[in-house]
Amino acid sequence: MRLTVLAGGIGGSTFLRGLLTARPDAEITVIGNTADDITLFGLRVCPDLDTVMYTLGGGISAERGWGREDETWVIKEELAAYGMEPTWFGLGDRDVATHLVRTQMLDAGYGLAAVTEALCIRWNLPVRLLPMSDDRVETHVVIDDPDSPGSRKAIHFQEYWVRLHAEVTAHQIRAIGQDKAKPAPGVLDAIADCDVLLLPPSNPVVSIGTILGVPGIRDAVRETSAPVIGVSPIIGDGPVRGMADKVLAAIGVESTAAAVARHYGARAAGGVLDGWLIDTTDAAQLQSIAEAGIHAQAVPLWMTDETLTAAIANAALNLAEAVRR
Ligand code: GDP
Ligand code: CA
């Protein structure tokens, strides 16, 4: 079975772990979000790709959910001692090695897809991990400028999330460079040639949204003969963790499972979904999702452990069989 999965960081990789438990023999291609990427101290950092790589490769910090296990922070402390900004980004020593390899290979002329493939060899990754694009795309968030009352400014998504903890109002989300980006080698084929296309409970705006926004990708999702099944990242009226509610508000979408489903839209009506899993506590929304032309089902969606997450992955694959045309 060939499965293709569009993924952000923590939500995407947690789901992938369950999917691997549910279907250990599947051939899985992951198309990762790279709009969180940032250059710090000359190093190219790809947080979502690395979260998938470390999680599925066994190197992730279980406690933090990002970065490396057994991490030390000497480089970060030394940079701070020099008064170097930014100090808010967690650059661990082990993690820095990944960014050094990536940056050196990019500087030598390799594309990000080739670099990612090379990095994944070390981790013996049980999936093929592709960046959405080799081209630079970076999410910026428009906020009120604290230094200039009445005016606004755009900051990098990492500054909004890591430094400001998404505590200031996001007025607008912009994916800089996206209009000129091309899907990375292998991306369109992985969408066209798979048995099921899955959208895990990743952020609908700054993870899945930025992947779909790369010219060519949304059309490929619309046109694939594989069923497209999504899992809601919203349970009740908020995200399970993270800031999906804040960035959904910025694009005018309510934080409910049904509103996110309508935002993605039914493939039959020009959207990207055939099926949508929502949590059992949101079962009252099934009707309105069905009215939007999307096959919906309510199952427990808390990815609390691998068994529960594998059950979610199974439910998504079963829904795919039910909607297969
Ligand atoms: P990020 O890049 O690290 O922010 O991770 P993703 O974009 O892949 O996923 C973030 C989303 O995962 C958040 O919007 C959460 O609502 C969602 N999420 C996290 N844990 C769970 C869970 O246990 N169940 C569900 N349904 N969604 C979750
Ligand atoms: Ca992310």
Side-chain angles (χ1 to χ4, degrees):
M1 187 175 219
R2 294 160 311 161
L3 305 174
T4 295
V5 182
L6 310 187
I10 295 180
S13 46
T14 306
F15 176 81
L16 281 163
R17 236 182 352 204
L19 183 64
L20 281 159
T21 304
R23 291 290 190 284
D25 298 329
E27 213 178 282
I28 301 175
T29 299
V30 179
I31 299 171
N33 173 47
T34 56
D36 283 16
D37 296 6
I38 188 167
T39 298
L40 295 167
F41 310 109
L43 300 177
R44 192 65 182 158
V45 181
C46 302
D48 284 0
L49 292 182
D50 288 349
T51 295
V52 173
M53 183 172 78
Y54 294 155
T55 301
L56 303 185
I60 198 82
S61 159
E63 186 194 331
R64 288 192 310 275
W66 56 269
R68 295 288 310 279
E69 192 74 305
D70 297 324
E71 189 56 285
T72 54
W73 305 92
V74 176
I75 294 172
K76 188 173 192 283
E77 286 158 21
E78 288 293 313
L79 287 167
Y82 281 112
M84 291 291 285
E85 294 286 345
T87 52
W88 43 263
F89 196 85
L91 272 183
D93 301 331
R94 290 181 188 280
D95 197 26
V96 161
T98 304
H99 312 320
L100 284 168
V101 176
R102 175 185 294 122
T103 306
Q104 174 147 315
M105 287 189 71
L106 289 171
D107 286 349
Y110 291 97
L112 184 60
V115 174
T116 304
E117 188 182 352
L119 287 169
C120 288
I121 291 170
R122 175 213 166 165
W123 295 99
N124 218 347
L125 226 62
V127 303
R128 181 167 67 126
L129 176 59
L130 304 174
M132 65 189 199
S133 177
D134 273 356
D135 301 315
R136 179 170 170 173
V137 179
E138 289 183 13
T139 300
H140 285 200
V141 180
V142 177
I143 63 166
D144 290 320
D145 186 348
D147 301 321
S148 173
S151 61
R152 293 176 175 180
K153 67 169 183 177
I155 57 172
H156 193 285
F157 171 73
Q158 296 298 345
E159 185 173 358
Y160 170 75
W161 176 228
V162 181
R163 182 170 86 85
L164 300 173
H165 311 289
E167 279 162 359
V168 299
T169 303
H171 295 292
Q172 210 190 330
I173 311 291
R174 294 180 182 156
I176 308 300
Q178 192 182 47
D179 52 331
K180 291 188 191 67
K182 291 180 294 299
V187 164
L188 296 182
D189 286 345
I191 294 170
D193 304 326
C194 63
D195 297 310
V196 181
L197 182 65
L198 295 166
L199 273 54
S202 283
N203 190 300
V205 184
V206 297
S207 294
I208 306 274
T210 45
I211 299 172
L212 290 172
V214 173
I217 293 188
R218 188 186 304 272
D219 287 343
V221 172
R222 281 191 185 133
E223 287 157 21
T224 181
S225 57
V228 183
I229 308 295
V231 179
S232 177
I234 303 293
I235 298 178
D237 57 4
V240 181
R241 55 185 286 175
M243 53 20 229
D245 52 335
K246 310 280 174 51
V247 291
L248 280 167
I251 63 162
V253 176
E254 208 189 332
S255 282
T256 64
V260 174
R262 281 192 298 270
H263 168 65
Y264 282 137
R267 281 214 295 171
V272 296
L273 287 180
D274 296 314
W276 185 240
L277 290 182
I278 66 173
D279 187 72
T280 40
T281 56
D282 295 320
Q285 299 175 32
L286 284 170
Q287 173 84 25
S288 87
I289 300 168
E291 281 164 8
I294 299 163
H295 295 261
Q297 200 188 336
V299 297
L301 286 191
W302 286 90
M303 301 189 290
T304 320
D305 63 37
E306 221 149 289
T307 310
L308 291 171
T309 311
I312 298 170
N314 262 318
L317 294 173
N318 291 338
L319 186 56
E321 293 320 310
V323 307
R324 196 182 288 281
R325 292 163 292 182

